[in-house]
PDB file of all heavy atoms in Angstrom:
ATOM      1  N   HIS A   1     128.273  95.803  74.977  1.00 81.00           N
ATOM      2  CA  HIS A   1     128.701  94.954  73.861  1.00 81.00           C
ATOM      3  C   HIS A   1     127.486  94.493  73.059  1.00 81.00           C
ATOM      4  O   HIS A   1     126.382  94.409  73.578  1.00 81.00           O
ATOM      5  CB  HIS A   1     129.486  93.744  74.376  1.00 81.00           C
ATOM      6  CG  HIS A   1     130.726  94.116  75.118  1.00 81.00           C
ATOM      7  ND1 HIS A   1     131.966  94.179  74.528  1.00 81.00           N
ATOM      8  CD2 HIS A   1     130.918  94.455  76.414  1.00 81.00           C
ATOM      9  CE1 HIS A   1     132.869  94.540  75.435  1.00 81.00           C
ATOM     10  NE2 HIS A   1     132.264  94.712  76.589  1.00 81.00           N
ATOM     11  N   ASN A   2     127.713  94.180  71.811  1.00 84.00           N
ATOM     12  CA  ASN A   2     126.629  93.730  70.949  1.00 84.00           C
ATOM     13  C   ASN A   2     126.703  92.248  70.616  1.00 84.00           C
ATOM     14  O   ASN A   2     125.969  91.763  69.751  1.00 84.00           O
ATOM     15  CB  ASN A   2     126.631  94.528  69.636  1.00 84.00           C
ATOM     16  CG  ASN A   2     126.328  95.996  69.858  1.00 84.00           C
ATOM     17  OD1 ASN A   2     125.478  96.323  70.676  1.00 84.00           O
ATOM     18  ND2 ASN A   2     127.005  96.865  69.143  1.00 84.00           N
ATOM     19  N   THR A   3     127.586  91.537  71.286  1.00 85.00           N
ATOM     20  CA  THR A   3     127.733  90.098  71.022  1.00 85.00           C
ATOM     21  C   THR A   3     127.255  89.302  72.231  1.00 85.00           C
ATOM     22  O   THR A   3     127.439  89.723  73.380  1.00 85.00           O
ATOM     23  CB  THR A   3     129.204  89.743  70.735  1.00 85.00           C
ATOM     24  OG1 THR A   3     130.021  90.192  71.829  1.00 85.00           O
ATOM     25  CG2 THR A   3     129.677  90.443  69.464  1.00 85.00           C
ATOM     26  N   PRO A   4     126.639  88.159  72.018  1.00 89.00           N
ATOM     27  CA  PRO A   4     126.180  87.318  73.130  1.00 89.00           C
ATOM     28  C   PRO A   4     127.344  86.899  74.012  1.00 89.00           C
ATOM     29  O   PRO A   4     128.455  86.634  73.526  1.00 89.00           O
ATOM     30  CB  PRO A   4     125.546  86.115  72.409  1.00 89.00           C
ATOM     31  CG  PRO A   4     125.184  86.634  71.057  1.00 89.00           C
ATOM     32  CD  PRO A   4     126.288  87.594  70.705  1.00 89.00           C
ATOM     33  N   ALA A   5     127.095  86.823  75.298  1.00 89.00           N
ATOM     34  CA  ALA A   5     128.144  86.426  76.238  1.00 89.00           C
ATOM     35  C   ALA A   5     127.547  85.490  77.294  1.00 89.00           C
ATOM     36  O   ALA A   5     126.383  85.626  77.682  1.00 89.00           O
ATOM     37  CB  ALA A   5     128.756  87.651  76.892  1.00 89.00           C
ATOM     38  N   LEU A   6     128.383  84.565  77.750  1.00 91.00           N
ATOM     39  CA  LEU A   6     127.958  83.630  78.773  1.00 91.00           C
ATOM     40  C   LEU A   6     127.952  84.318  80.142  1.00 91.00           C
ATOM     41  O   LEU A   6     128.934  84.947  80.518  1.00 91.00           O
ATOM     42  CB  LEU A   6     128.897  82.417  78.819  1.00 91.00           C
ATOM     43  CG  LEU A   6     128.632  81.400  79.937  1.00 91.00           C
ATOM     44  CD1 LEU A   6     127.272  80.728  79.717  1.00 91.00           C
ATOM     45  CD2 LEU A   6     129.751  80.363  79.992  1.00 91.00           C
ATOM     46  N   LYS A   7     126.832  84.200  80.826  1.00 91.00           N
ATOM     47  CA  LYS A   7     126.741  84.738  82.186  1.00 91.00           C
ATOM     48  C   LYS A   7     126.388  83.601  83.128  1.00 91.00           C
ATOM     49  O   LYS A   7     125.395  82.889  82.914  1.00 91.00           O
ATOM     50  CB  LYS A   7     125.681  85.829  82.280  1.00 91.00           C
ATOM     51  CG  LYS A   7     125.648  86.506  83.650  1.00 91.00           C
ATOM     52  CD  LYS A   7     124.685  87.684  83.692  1.00 91.00           C
ATOM     53  CE  LYS A   7     124.770  88.409  85.011  1.00 91.00           C
ATOM     54  NZ  LYS A   7     123.852  89.589  85.064  1.00 91.00           N
ATOM     55  N   GLN A   8     127.193  83.413  84.144  1.00 93.00           N
ATOM     56  CA  GLN A   8     126.956  82.376  85.136  1.00 93.00           C
ATOM     57  C   GLN A   8     126.272  83.008  86.342  1.00 93.00           C
ATOM     58  O   GLN A   8     126.742  83.999  86.898  1.00 93.00           O
ATOM     59  CB  GLN A   8     128.267  81.716  85.548  1.00 93.00           C
ATOM     60  CG  GLN A   8     128.954  80.989  84.393  1.00 93.00           C
ATOM     61  CD  GLN A   8     130.143  80.178  84.853  1.00 93.00           C
ATOM     62  OE1 GLN A   8     130.972  80.663  85.596  1.00 93.00           O
ATOM     63  NE2 GLN A   8     130.213  78.942  84.401  1.00 93.00           N
ATOM     64  N   THR A   9     125.158  82.417  86.735  1.00 96.00           N
ATOM     65  CA  THR A   9     124.351  82.969  87.810  1.00 96.00           C
ATOM     66  C   THR A   9     124.210  81.965  88.944  1.00 96.00           C
ATOM     67  O   THR A   9     123.976  80.769  88.711  1.00 96.00           O
ATOM     68  CB  THR A   9     122.951  83.351  87.293  1.00 96.00           C
ATOM     69  OG1 THR A   9     123.085  84.311  86.247  1.00 96.00           O
ATOM     70  CG2 THR A   9     122.100  83.929  88.412  1.00 96.00           C
ATOM     71  N   PHE A  10     124.373  82.449  90.167  1.00 97.00           N
ATOM     72  CA  PHE A  10     124.208  81.607  91.344  1.00 97.00           C
ATOM     73  C   PHE A  10     122.988  82.091  92.118  1.00 97.00           C
ATOM     74  O   PHE A  10     122.864  83.284  92.390  1.00 97.00           O
ATOM     75  CB  PHE A  10     125.448  81.675  92.231  1.00 97.00           C
ATOM     76  CG  PHE A  10     125.359  80.819  93.467  1.00 97.00           C
ATOM     77  CD1 PHE A  10     125.419  79.435  93.372  1.00 97.00           C
ATOM     78  CD2 PHE A  10     125.231  81.391  94.728  1.00 97.00           C
ATOM     79  CE1 PHE A  10     125.341  78.632  94.507  1.00 97.00           C
ATOM     80  CE2 PHE A  10     125.168  80.602  95.872  1.00 97.00           C
ATOM     81  CZ  PHE A  10     125.221  79.210  95.754  1.00 97.00           C
ATOM     82  N   VAL A  11     122.077  81.176  92.439  1.00 98.00           N
ATOM     83  CA  VAL A  11     120.860  81.542  93.170  1.00 98.00           C
ATOM     84  C   VAL A  11     120.751  80.704  94.450  1.00 98.00           C
ATOM     85  O   VAL A  11     121.223  79.569  94.524  1.00 98.00           O
ATOM     86  CB  VAL A  11     119.603  81.316  92.300  1.00 98.00           C
ATOM     87  CG1 VAL A  11     119.561  82.318  91.164  1.00 98.00           C
ATOM     88  CG2 VAL A  11     119.555  79.893  91.745  1.00 98.00           C
ATOM     89  N   ARG A  12     120.136  81.321  95.468  1.00 98.00           N
ATOM     90  CA  ARG A  12     119.935  80.630  96.750  1.00 98.00           C
ATOM     91  C   ARG A  12     118.566  81.009  97.303  1.00 98.00           C
ATOM     92  O   ARG A  12     118.143  82.164  97.205  1.00 98.00           O
ATOM     93  CB  ARG A  12     121.038  81.022  97.733  1.00 98.00           C
ATOM     94  CG  ARG A  12     120.891  80.374  99.106  1.00 98.00           C
ATOM     95  CD  ARG A  12     122.008  80.814 100.047  1.00 98.00           C
ATOM     96  NE  ARG A  12     123.306  80.326  99.615  1.00 98.00           N
ATOM     97  CZ  ARG A  12     123.781  79.104  99.866  1.00 98.00           C
ATOM     98  NH1 ARG A  12     123.044  78.246 100.574  1.00 98.00           N
ATOM     99  NH2 ARG A  12     124.964  78.740  99.452  1.00 98.00           N
ATOM    100  N   LYS A  13     117.907  80.030  97.894  1.00 98.00           N
ATOM    101  CA  LYS A  13     116.607  80.295  98.515  1.00 98.00           C
ATOM    102  C   LYS A  13     116.802  80.849  99.917  1.00 98.00           C
ATOM    103  O   LYS A  13     117.639  80.358 100.681  1.00 98.00           O
ATOM    104  CB  LYS A  13     115.782  78.995  98.574  1.00 98.00           C
ATOM    105  CG  LYS A  13     114.391  79.191  99.165  1.00 98.00           C
ATOM    106  CD  LYS A  13     113.565  77.906  99.113  1.00 98.00           C
ATOM    107  CE  LYS A  13     114.073  76.871 100.071  1.00 98.00           C
ATOM    108  NZ  LYS A  13     113.172  75.687 100.144  1.00 98.00           N
ATOM    109  N   ALA A  14     116.019  81.864 100.264  1.00 98.00           N
ATOM    110  CA  ALA A  14     116.063  82.445 101.598  1.00 98.00           C
ATOM    111  C   ALA A  14     114.637  82.557 102.108  1.00 98.00           C
ATOM    112  O   ALA A  14     113.724  82.914 101.349  1.00 98.00           O
ATOM    113  CB  ALA A  14     116.721  83.820 101.560  1.00 98.00           C
ATOM    114  N   GLN A  15     114.432  82.233 103.375  1.00 97.00           N
ATOM    115  CA  GLN A  15     113.089  82.285 103.938  1.00 97.00           C
ATOM    116  C   GLN A  15     113.052  83.148 105.177  1.00 97.00           C
ATOM    117  O   GLN A  15     113.879  83.020 106.088  1.00 97.00           O
ATOM    118  CB  GLN A  15     112.586  80.869 104.268  1.00 97.00           C
ATOM    119  CG  GLN A  15     111.151  80.840 104.754  1.00 97.00           C
ATOM    120  CD  GLN A  15     110.558  79.446 104.721  1.00 97.00           C
ATOM    121  OE1 GLN A  15     111.186  78.511 104.219  1.00 97.00           O
ATOM    122  NE2 GLN A  15     109.355  79.279 105.249  1.00 97.00           N
ATOM    123  N   PHE A  16     112.083  84.063 105.206  1.00 98.00           N
ATOM    124  CA  PHE A  16     111.863  84.947 106.341  1.00 98.00           C
ATOM    125  C   PHE A  16     110.415  84.752 106.783  1.00 98.00           C
ATOM    126  O   PHE A  16     109.482  85.211 106.134  1.00 98.00           O
ATOM    127  CB  PHE A  16     112.101  86.403 105.948  1.00 98.00           C
ATOM    128  CG  PHE A  16     111.798  87.402 107.030  1.00 98.00           C
ATOM    129  CD1 PHE A  16     112.630  87.534 108.139  1.00 98.00           C
ATOM    130  CD2 PHE A  16     110.642  88.197 106.959  1.00 98.00           C
ATOM    131  CE1 PHE A  16     112.347  88.456 109.147  1.00 98.00           C
ATOM    132  CE2 PHE A  16     110.360  89.108 107.944  1.00 98.00           C
ATOM    133  CZ  PHE A  16     111.199  89.235 109.051  1.00 98.00           C
ATOM    134  N   GLY A  17     110.233  84.023 107.889  1.00 96.00           N
ATOM    135  CA  GLY A  17     108.873  83.684 108.298  1.00 96.00           C
ATOM    136  C   GLY A  17     108.244  82.777 107.247  1.00 96.00           C
ATOM    137  O   GLY A  17     108.780  81.745 106.872  1.00 96.00           O
ATOM    138  N   GLN A  18     107.095  83.206 106.736  1.00 96.00           N
ATOM    139  CA  GLN A  18     106.425  82.445 105.690  1.00 96.00           C
ATOM    140  C   GLN A  18     106.791  82.914 104.288  1.00 96.00           C
ATOM    141  O   GLN A  18     106.330  82.336 103.309  1.00 96.00           O
ATOM    142  CB  GLN A  18     104.887  82.579 105.883  1.00 96.00           C
ATOM    143  CG  GLN A  18     104.386  82.016 107.221  1.00 96.00           C
ATOM    144  CD  GLN A  18     104.721  80.546 107.377  1.00 96.00           C
ATOM    145  OE1 GLN A  18     104.503  79.742 106.462  1.00 96.00           O
ATOM    146  NE2 GLN A  18     105.236  80.156 108.543  1.00 96.00           N
ATOM    147  N   GLU A  19     107.589  83.961 104.231  1.00 97.00           N
ATOM    148  CA  GLU A  19     107.947  84.522 102.927  1.00 97.00           C
ATOM    149  C   GLU A  19     109.221  83.862 102.385  1.00 97.00           C
ATOM    150  O   GLU A  19     110.200  83.680 103.107  1.00 97.00           O
ATOM    151  CB  GLU A  19     108.171  86.041 103.047  1.00 97.00           C
ATOM    152  CG  GLU A  19     106.929  86.789 103.503  1.00 97.00           C
ATOM    153  CD  GLU A  19     107.226  88.254 103.728  1.00 97.00           C
ATOM    154  OE1 GLU A  19     108.423  88.639 103.752  1.00 97.00           O
ATOM    155  OE2 GLU A  19     106.258  89.026 103.924  1.00 97.00           O
ATOM    156  N   ILE A  20     109.184  83.525 101.097  1.00 98.00           N
ATOM    157  CA  ILE A  20     110.336  82.888 100.440  1.00 98.00           C
ATOM    158  C   ILE A  20     110.863  83.822  99.352  1.00 98.00           C
ATOM    159  O   ILE A  20     110.096  84.432  98.611  1.00 98.00           O
ATOM    160  CB  ILE A  20     109.939  81.539  99.827  1.00 98.00           C
ATOM    161  CG1 ILE A  20     109.521  80.565 100.945  1.00 98.00           C
ATOM    162  CG2 ILE A  20     111.099  80.942  99.027  1.00 98.00           C
ATOM    163  CD1 ILE A  20     109.047  79.215 100.431  1.00 98.00           C
ATOM    164  N   TYR A  21     112.184  83.905  99.287  1.00 98.00           N
ATOM    165  CA  TYR A  21     112.823  84.771  98.300  1.00 98.00           C
ATOM    166  C   TYR A  21     113.897  83.983  97.561  1.00 98.00           C
ATOM    167  O   TYR A  21     114.527  83.068  98.115  1.00 98.00           O
ATOM    168  CB  TYR A  21     113.477  85.990  98.976  1.00 98.00           C
ATOM    169  CG  TYR A  21     112.513  86.834  99.777  1.00 98.00           C
ATOM    170  CD1 TYR A  21     112.388  86.644 101.165  1.00 98.00           C
ATOM    171  CD2 TYR A  21     111.750  87.815  99.171  1.00 98.00           C
ATOM    172  CE1 TYR A  21     111.510  87.418 101.903  1.00 98.00           C
ATOM    173  CE2 TYR A  21     110.867  88.603  99.912  1.00 98.00           C
ATOM    174  CZ  TYR A  21     110.766  88.395 101.270  1.00 98.00           C
ATOM    175  OH  TYR A  21     109.890  89.174 102.018  1.00 98.00           O
ATOM    176  N   ILE A  22     114.115  84.354  96.311  1.00 98.00           N
ATOM    177  CA  ILE A  22     115.219  83.791  95.532  1.00 98.00           C
ATOM    178  C   ILE A  22     116.268  84.891  95.414  1.00 98.00           C
ATOM    179  O   ILE A  22     116.029  85.931  94.792  1.00 98.00           O
ATOM    180  CB  ILE A  22     114.755  83.351  94.116  1.00 98.00           C
ATOM    181  CG1 ILE A  22     113.527  82.449  94.209  1.00 98.00           C
ATOM    182  CG2 ILE A  22     115.916  82.661  93.399  1.00 98.00           C
ATOM    183  CD1 ILE A  22     113.726  81.206  95.053  1.00 98.00           C
ATOM    184  N   VAL A  23     117.423  84.660  96.018  1.00 98.00           N
ATOM    185  CA  VAL A  23     118.512  85.651  96.031  1.00 98.00           C
ATOM    186  C   VAL A  23     119.606  85.161  95.092  1.00 98.00           C
ATOM    187  O   VAL A  23     119.986  83.985  95.128  1.00 98.00           O
ATOM    188  CB  VAL A  23     119.082  85.834  97.453  1.00 98.00           C
ATOM    189  CG1 VAL A  23     120.178  86.900  97.463  1.00 98.00           C
ATOM    190  CG2 VAL A  23     117.963  86.180  98.432  1.00 98.00           C
ATOM    191  N   GLY A  24     120.082  86.034  94.243  1.00 98.00           N
ATOM    192  CA  GLY A  24     121.088  85.592  93.287  1.00 98.00           C
ATOM    193  C   GLY A  24     122.023  86.680  92.811  1.00 98.00           C
ATOM    194  O   GLY A  24     121.812  87.871  93.086  1.00 98.00           O
ATOM    195  N   SER A  25     123.034  86.272  92.093  1.00 96.00           N
ATOM    196  CA  SER A  25     123.980  87.199  91.486  1.00 96.00           C
ATOM    197  C   SER A  25     124.691  86.458  90.363  1.00 96.00           C
ATOM    198  O   SER A  25     124.822  85.239  90.399  1.00 96.00           O
ATOM    199  CB  SER A  25     125.008  87.702  92.513  1.00 96.00           C
ATOM    200  OG  SER A  25     125.880  88.643  91.915  1.00 96.00           O
ATOM    201  N   GLY A  26     125.129  87.199  89.368  1.00 92.00           N
ATOM    202  CA  GLY A  26     125.810  86.548  88.249  1.00 92.00           C
ATOM    203  C   GLY A  26     126.985  87.369  87.755  1.00 92.00           C
ATOM    204  O   GLY A  26     127.155  88.535  88.139  1.00 92.00           O
ATOM    205  N   ILE A  27     127.782  86.735  86.930  1.00 89.00           N
ATOM    206  CA  ILE A  27     128.943  87.422  86.386  1.00 89.00           C
ATOM    207  C   ILE A  27     129.244  86.884  85.000  1.00 89.00           C
ATOM    208  O   ILE A  27     129.106  85.684  84.736  1.00 89.00           O
ATOM    209  CB  ILE A  27     130.162  87.240  87.303  1.00 89.00           C
ATOM    210  CG1 ILE A  27     131.327  88.078  86.805  1.00 89.00           C
ATOM    211  CG2 ILE A  27     130.553  85.778  87.423  1.00 89.00           C
ATOM    212  CD1 ILE A  27     132.482  88.142  87.763  1.00 89.00           C
ATOM    213  N   TYR A  28     129.620  87.785  84.119  1.00 87.00           N
ATOM    214  CA  TYR A  28     130.032  87.370  82.790  1.00 87.00           C
ATOM    215  C   TYR A  28     131.419  86.755  82.902  1.00 87.00           C
ATOM    216  O   TYR A  28     132.273  87.251  83.637  1.00 87.00           O
ATOM    217  CB  TYR A  28     130.036  88.557  81.833  1.00 87.00           C
ATOM    218  CG  TYR A  28     128.641  89.031  81.481  1.00 87.00           C
ATOM    219  CD1 TYR A  28     128.056  90.085  82.191  1.00 87.00           C
ATOM    220  CD2 TYR A  28     127.902  88.410  80.491  1.00 87.00           C
ATOM    221  CE1 TYR A  28     126.773  90.505  81.903  1.00 87.00           C
ATOM    222  CE2 TYR A  28     126.615  88.827  80.190  1.00 87.00           C
ATOM    223  CZ  TYR A  28     126.048  89.870  80.906  1.00 87.00           C
ATOM    224  OH  TYR A  28     124.776  90.278  80.625  1.00 87.00           O
ATOM    225  N   THR A  29     131.660  85.712  82.174  1.00 78.00           N
ATOM    226  CA  THR A  29     132.907  84.968  82.255  1.00 78.00           C
ATOM    227  C   THR A  29     134.119  85.892  82.136  1.00 78.00           C
ATOM    228  O   THR A  29     134.259  86.624  81.164  1.00 78.00           O
ATOM    229  CB  THR A  29     132.979  83.900  81.162  1.00 78.00           C
ATOM    230  OG1 THR A  29     131.842  83.057  81.261  1.00 78.00           O
ATOM    231  CG2 THR A  29     134.240  83.066  81.313  1.00 78.00           C
ATOM    232  N   GLY A  30     134.980  85.848  83.154  1.00 55.00           N
ATOM    233  CA  GLY A  30     136.224  86.617  83.113  1.00 55.00           C
ATOM    234  C   GLY A  30     136.121  88.011  83.690  1.00 55.00           C
ATOM    235  O   GLY A  30     137.142  88.648  83.983  1.00 55.00           O
ATOM    236  N   ASP A  31     134.911  88.534  83.883  1.00 51.00           N
ATOM    237  CA  ASP A  31     134.770  89.916  84.350  1.00 51.00           C
ATOM    238  C   ASP A  31     135.380  90.145  85.714  1.00 51.00           C
ATOM    239  O   ASP A  31     136.090  91.115  85.942  1.00 51.00           O
ATOM    240  CB  ASP A  31     133.280  90.315  84.409  1.00 51.00           C
ATOM    241  CG  ASP A  31     132.804  90.863  83.071  1.00 51.00           C
ATOM    242  OD1 ASP A  31     133.569  90.777  82.101  1.00 51.00           O
ATOM    243  OD2 ASP A  31     131.680  91.374  83.012  1.00 51.00           O
ATOM    244  N   LEU A  32     135.077  89.272  86.653  1.00 47.00           N
ATOM    245  CA  LEU A  32     135.534  89.465  88.017  1.00 47.00           C
ATOM    246  C   LEU A  32     137.051  89.381  88.108  1.00 47.00           C
ATOM    247  O   LEU A  32     137.698  90.187  88.775  1.00 47.00           O
ATOM    248  CB  LEU A  32     134.898  88.440  88.957  1.00 47.00           C
ATOM    249  CG  LEU A  32     135.254  88.596  90.438  1.00 47.00           C
ATOM    250  CD1 LEU A  32     134.838  89.974  90.923  1.00 47.00           C
ATOM    251  CD2 LEU A  32     134.581  87.519  91.259  1.00 47.00           C
ATOM    252  N   ARG A  33     137.637  88.406  87.391  1.00 48.00           N
ATOM    253  CA  ARG A  33     139.089  88.272  87.417  1.00 48.00           C
ATOM    254  C   ARG A  33     139.764  89.523  86.848  1.00 48.00           C
ATOM    255  O   ARG A  33     140.723  90.018  87.409  1.00 48.00           O
ATOM    256  CB  ARG A  33     139.510  87.027  86.621  1.00 48.00           C
ATOM    257  CG  ARG A  33     141.023  86.775  86.678  1.00 48.00           C
ATOM    258  CD  ARG A  33     141.407  85.525  85.907  1.00 48.00           C
ATOM    259  NE  ARG A  33     140.915  84.343  86.562  1.00 48.00           N
ATOM    260  CZ  ARG A  33     139.884  83.624  86.147  1.00 48.00           C
ATOM    261  NH1 ARG A  33     139.216  83.999  85.070  1.00 48.00           N
ATOM    262  NH2 ARG A  33     139.519  82.536  86.786  1.00 48.00           N
ATOM    263  N   GLU A  34     139.216  90.015  85.749  1.00 53.00           N
ATOM    264  CA  GLU A  34     139.777  91.220  85.146  1.00 53.00           C
ATOM    265  C   GLU A  34     139.633  92.428  86.085  1.00 53.00           C
ATOM    266  O   GLU A  34     140.560  93.229  86.213  1.00 53.00           O
ATOM    267  CB  GLU A  34     139.073  91.511  83.817  1.00 53.00           C
ATOM    268  CG  GLU A  34     139.356  90.475  82.736  1.00 53.00           C
ATOM    269  CD  GLU A  34     138.502  90.693  81.506  1.00 53.00           C
ATOM    270  OE1 GLU A  34     137.761  91.705  81.486  1.00 53.00           O
ATOM    271  OE2 GLU A  34     138.570  89.870  80.569  1.00 53.00           O
ATOM    272  N   ALA A  35     138.491  92.517  86.739  1.00 50.00           N
ATOM    273  CA  ALA A  35     138.276  93.631  87.661  1.00 50.00           C
ATOM    274  C   ALA A  35     139.237  93.545  88.840  1.00 50.00           C
ATOM    275  O   ALA A  35     139.782  94.556  89.292  1.00 50.00           O
ATOM    276  CB  ALA A  35     136.832  93.629  88.164  1.00 50.00           C
ATOM    277  N   MET A  36     139.436  92.346  89.360  1.00 50.00           N
ATOM    278  CA  MET A  36     140.348  92.173  90.489  1.00 50.00           C
ATOM    279  C   MET A  36     141.791  92.469  90.091  1.00 50.00           C
ATOM    280  O   MET A  36     142.557  93.053  90.869  1.00 50.00           O
ATOM    281  CB  MET A  36     140.227  90.765  91.054  1.00 50.00           C
ATOM    282  CG  MET A  36     138.934  90.518  91.824  1.00 50.00           C
ATOM    283  SD  MET A  36     138.883  88.897  92.609  1.00 50.00           S
ATOM    284  CE  MET A  36     137.413  89.078  93.641  1.00 50.00           C
ATOM    285  N   ILE A  37     142.157  92.066  88.866  1.00 52.00           N
ATOM    286  CA  ILE A  37     143.515  92.351  88.392  1.00 52.00           C
ATOM    287  C   ILE A  37     143.725  93.862  88.298  1.00 52.00           C
ATOM    288  O   ILE A  37     144.769  94.380  88.697  1.00 52.00           O
ATOM    289  CB  ILE A  37     143.765  91.678  87.029  1.00 52.00           C
ATOM    290  CG1 ILE A  37     143.846  90.151  87.209  1.00 52.00           C
ATOM    291  CG2 ILE A  37     145.050  92.199  86.387  1.00 52.00           C
ATOM    292  CD1 ILE A  37     143.966  89.383  85.903  1.00 52.00           C
TER     293      ILE A  37
END
C-alpha cells in the first residue's frame, strides 16, 4: 500500500546470561482479525 498505516508493536526484554535482547512483533490495525476471519 502507498498510504500510511498505524502499526502497533509489542516489545519485551529477554536476558540470556549477560546478553540482553529486545524481542518484539507488530501488526497493522485489523490485519490479524481479517486473516483469522
Side-chain angles (χ1 to χ4, degrees):
H1 299 266
N2 295 321
T3 56
L6 175 66
K7 185 174 186 179
Q8 297 188 312
T9 301
F10 181 71
V11 291
R12 179 181 293 277
K13 182 175 71 173
Q15 185 165 353
F16 175 73
Q18 298 301 313
E19 299 174 348
I20 296 177
Y21 302 96
I22 309 302
V23 182
S25 182
I27 186 170
Y28 290 95
T29 305
D31 272 9
L32 183 58
R33 183 179 291 105
E34 293 172 5
M36 287 185 170
I37 290 175

